[in-house]
Amino acid sequence: MKLFRFVFVVVLAALVQTAFAGESPATTQSIHSILPQQFAGWQISGALKASKDPIAADSANAALLKEYGFTDFESATYTRDDGRKLNLKAARFGDASGAYGAFTYYKMPQMLKETIPDQGASLNERVLFYRGNILVDAVFDKLTAMSAAELRDLSQALPSPVGNARNLPALPAYLPKPGYVKNTAKYVVGPVGLEKINSPLPESLVDFSVGTEVALGTYETSNGHAVLILVSYPTPQIAAEHLRRLDAARQPNPAGTPALLNIANPIFDKRTGPMLVVATGAISQGEAQSLLSAVNYDADVTWNENTYSGKRNNLGNLLLNVFLLCAILIAFSAVAGLAFGGIRIFFNRILPESLLHREQEVDFIALNLSGGQADGPHSKVSSSIKAG
């Protein structure tokens, strides 16, 4: 029995190790690969180029990509049987916020909206979209009616981030809809991005050292265009302190030198929760107050703890695995029982006098109780009575 238990444990351990070993290559490939080998009839032509240097993705905006959390980059040329070509560039970031921020930076006002997950925009043969934490820049040599559908298939083939890395920033959702000029929303998380979007507020007043986020949008007014800036800080106290700095920077210094914030257009601001709302540009006071009043912070409690709703923590999968394990154990028990019985029969055939069996003839002591009763005292008494 000890030998049987040892063999059973060894076989079970080997099966478990094989199962985990079978998962490892696929998991590793999904982590390190961005672009698929083929999708929707497109196949890679030539070698796929990969790099972890943001300069390879965009040398002019390498610092900006790094600020958004750039991790790696891939590019490839795809072809179809009809001879068409497609050039793809894919940049991956640490989370979906980085991909969204880069998407807002590269998106141009003249682009048209495309229904490609998560968001997409196009201009002629170029299509820009992001999915999760991956930003894709696609350039067709010839567009067809199915080009958008093909890119939707590509978006589904891209690896998805896990956990909190899937969450998009909440700040851009506070930009009001009325009067908004399409494709002008920008989202930045550092001084490089703030400078590149030509923000009216300088970096010294925004202060990215405390984990600040900035969303900016352009709005139509009766006098032209105005810019609305949302600055989000970790706490309302930090936001209140920076509002005081902003108001102080608009005032002339005691020595008569110009103000730190020297903007020709008037500035209107307010604080709502941990956010600063600033409006400036060709806008009247009434329109500015209306625009500022449209932004109100809504406290949203987020539960970041794992909800255990994935495949590995699903109750149905747990029960299925329990039944599967029971079936495996029953099968092993049946095979082991047949093997053990077969070995005994085999040894009984070739070694009938072995230690596996007793001797055929075994001496034992037997008491013949029934034979003794015939000559017992009761029989003698009966005989005496008859004789008398």
Side-chain angles (χ1 to χ4, degrees):
M1 291 299 295
K2 291 183 177 180
L3 178 62
F4 164 70
R5 292 177 180 176
F6 175 76
V7 172
F8 176 77
V9 171
V10 170
V11 173
L12 186 60
L15 288 175
V16 173
Q17 182 178 2
T18 303
F20 280 102
E23 285 185 5
S24 298
T27 304
T28 302
Q29 183 179 3
S30 64
I31 292 176
H32 294 289
S33 178
I34 303 178
L35 295 174
Q37 292 294 321
Q38 58 183 3
F39 68 93
W42 293 94
Q43 296 182 349
I44 286 185
S45 176
L48 183 146
K49 299 179 181 179
S51 175
K52 294 185 178 181
D53 188 355
I55 297 178
D58 186 354
S59 58
N61 296 292
L64 176 64
L65 295 179
K66 187 176 180 180
E67 191 173 77
Y68 280 128
F70 173 89
T71 59
D72 55 335
F73 166 80
E74 287 184 2
S75 64
T77 300
Y78 289 76
T79 58
R80 290 181 63 92
D81 294 338
D82 57 6
R84 287 189 292 145
K85 292 184 179 181
L86 168 64
N87 293 321
L88 287 181
K89 296 179 180 180
R92 179 157 48 188
F93 299 84
D95 53 27
S97 295
Y100 170 77
F103 173 77
T104 62
Y105 175 75
Y106 286 109
K107 184 174 60 174
M108 296 180 288
Q110 61 269 34
M111 281 186 164
L112 302 177
K113 182 179 180 180
E114 296 290 344
T115 56
I116 302 174
D118 292 329
Q119 291 187 41
S122 66
L123 180 63
N124 299 327
E125 288 79 19
R126 183 191 179 193
V127 180
L128 185 71
F129 73 92
Y130 75 92
R131 171 73 170 178
N133 61 337
I134 298 175
L135 176 68
V136 179
D137 190 352
V139 179
F140 291 87
D141 65 340
K142 181 180 179 182
L143 287 174
T144 66
M146 297 301 296
S147 296
E150 293 166 354
L151 291 182
R152 282 193 288 270
D153 290 342
L154 171 62
S155 68
Q156 299 299 326
L158 298 174
S160 300
V162 296
N164 292 333
R166 298 175 296 182
N167 298 336
L168 290 171
L171 184 62
Y174 285 98
L175 290 172
K177 301 299 182 183
Y180 170 73
V181 179
K182 70 173 186 176
N183 297 339
T184 59
K186 305 296 180 183
Y187 173 76
V188 297
V189 293
V192 177
L194 192 70
E195 181 181 0
K196 285 185 174 293
I197 64 174
N198 299 319
S199 169
L201 296 181
E203 188 274 333
S204 59
L205 292 178
V206 174
D207 186 14
F208 288 98
S209 63
V210 294
T212 308
E213 301 174 73
V214 174
L216 180 148
T218 302
Y219 290 81
E220 294 181 352
T221 66
S222 59
N223 297 327
H225 289 88
V227 176
L228 184 67
I229 307 169
L230 308 181
V231 186
S232 177
Y233 294 97
T235 65
Q237 293 76 15
I238 298 177
E241 174 61 27
H242 282 80
L243 179 61
R244 288 190 290 268
R245 295 182 186 179
L246 177 61
D247 291 337
R250 295 161 53 187
Q251 305 300 325
N253 293 327
T257 58
L260 295 176
L261 184 59
N262 190 10
I263 300 177
N265 295 313
I267 295 178
F268 306 91
D269 57 23
K270 79 166 189 177
R271 181 184 67 85
T272 171
M275 292 192 307
L276 295 187
V277 186
V278 181
T280 185
I283 187 172
S284 64
Q285 183 176 359
E287 289 177 315
Q289 294 300 329
S290 177
L291 192 59
L292 293 179
S293 62
V295 181
N296 294 288
Y297 176 73
D298 183 15
D300 184 15
V301 178
T302 303
W303 190 262
N304 292 325
E305 188 172 337
N306 194 347
T307 58
Y308 302 101
S309 60
K311 292 183 178 180
R312 295 182 59 184
N313 303 296
N314 186 274
L315 180 59
N317 289 335
L318 176 62
L319 295 177
L320 179 62
N321 291 331
V322 169
F323 287 123
L324 181 61
L325 178 61
C326 292
I328 293 175
L329 293 177
I330 292 173
F332 267 111
S333 300
V335 173
L338 292 175
F340 185 72
I343 292 174
R344 290 182 61 87
I345 294 174
F346 173 75
F347 279 103
N348 187 30
R349 296 277 185 156
I350 63 173
L351 298 174
E353 303 298 330
S354 66
L355 295 178
L356 296 177
H357 298 279
R358 294 181 177 180
E359 298 291 340
Q360 292 182 355
E361 297 180 0
V362 180
D363 295 334
F364 60 94
I365 300 174
L367 298 178
N368 189 6
L369 299 178
S370 60
Q373 290 180 355
D375 298 330
H378 295 286
S379 62
K380 292 180 180 181
V381 173
S382 300
S383 301
S384 301
I385 294 173
K386 289 180 180 181

